[in-house]
Amino acid sequence: AMLVPALVFGLLGGAIVDRTGPARGLAIGATLRFAVVALAAAFLHGSSTVWVIAFAYSAVSQIFSPAEMALVRTLRKDAPGQAHSLLVALQYAGQGLGFAVIAPALWYLGGAEAMLGGSAVGFLALTIISFALASRLRNTAAAQAVPARCAFSFKDTLGFFRGEALARDAVSVLAVKAMVTQGIIVALPLYLSHDLGLGRSALIYLLLPGIAGLAAGLVWAAPAVTKARAAWFMRAG
């Protein structure tokens, strides 16, 4: 439910971001994410429809995610590697906080409906922040829209990937990262609990390697990445 929309709608989502400009694309993607979660909070009845929510969320994320990536260099032209590492660190920290603290508390208070309601509040805050950022960037390159005939023509894009080995490496790394991350978030806790018999308290140790990796990324990898060394870093990662 999470991976199929990325494969089917990924190119279209990126084209929409090119057409609108990444600043507007971020606001549009955040609004759509909020809409999906808010509708789920209002109409979810039982766990049988969870895959529908995951599918819809992943589909609209194909607009939000490329806009988010495209804005990294706009926000920190002098150190885009550090900005991206910090962005990823904050995302994983937020996921860990939600997984270990917020979600269990909301489940205790009101079950799945309370969890979705709390998520909707978070996405509403993200939407407001995204619109504020888009407003601040309205006179920058991040707000520039590409004509539709260019945004939805993939000839130049395919030519770019044919000629740029670094870009091909980056696509491979991002694809593997997405699959591994989603596998860890969804499958690994169940495997440790059901198959290995580890209790909930043992799941906290899943966070420790991630924390170590984030520290290494922020302190060592991000400042050291240059275009000349990017291929080595991606393959090593």
Side-chain angles (χ1 to χ4, degrees):
M2 295 292 287
L3 288 174
V4 170
L7 295 172
V8 175
F9 302 119
L11 286 175
L12 178 61
I16 291 172
V17 171
D18 285 337
R19 180 69 184 91
T20 62
R24 293 188 190 91
L26 190 79
I28 293 169
T31 301
L32 292 173
R33 277 181 161 185
F34 166 68
V36 168
V37 177
L39 288 171
F43 298 108
L44 176 67
H45 299 290
S47 60
S48 60
T49 56
V50 168
W51 72 270
V52 179
I53 300 167
F55 186 95
Y57 176 84
S58 181
V60 300
S61 292
Q62 304 317 309
I63 297 176
F64 184 90
S65 296
E68 180 183 47
M69 296 283 280
L71 285 173
V72 169
R73 187 172 292 276
T74 298
L75 297 175
R76 283 295 305 274
K77 292 183 176 65
D78 56 330
Q82 288 179 329
H84 182 257
S85 290
L86 182 59
L87 175 67
V88 172
L90 290 172
Q91 288 175 333
Y92 284 134
Q95 289 172 0
L97 180 65
F99 174 77
V101 179
I102 299 175
L106 290 172
W107 175 267
Y108 177 78
L109 291 174
E113 290 80 6
M115 291 173 68
L116 283 168
S119 183
V121 171
F123 277 110
L124 177 60
L126 174 64
T127 301
I128 294 170
I129 293 170
S130 298
F131 272 93
L133 179 61
S135 177
R136 290 181 59 183
L137 296 175
R138 62 182 180 274
N139 295 321
T140 69
Q144 292 180 356
V146 173
R149 65 180 182 278
C150 298
F152 294 97
S153 173
F154 300 108
K155 179 180 178 181
D156 290 340
T157 302
L158 294 174
F160 170 76
F161 281 109
R162 278 197 300 268
E164 288 287 344
L166 277 179
R168 296 195 297 271
D169 284 346
V171 169
S172 302
V173 169
L174 287 171
V176 171
K177 171 178 171 283
M179 289 186 288
V180 170
T181 300
Q182 291 172 12
I184 288 174
I185 292 172
V186 176
L188 189 55
L190 295 174
Y191 170 72
L192 291 177
S193 177
H194 294 174
D195 290 22
L196 298 185
L198 299 178
R200 289 182 178 272
S201 60
L203 297 180
I204 194 68
Y205 294 105
L206 290 175
L207 299 177
L208 298 181
I211 293 170
L214 289 174
L218 289 171
V219 175
W220 169 66
V225 171
T226 62
K227 185 175 181 180
R229 302 183 69 190
W232 182 88
F233 272 98
M234 285 191 288
R235 291 167 185 171

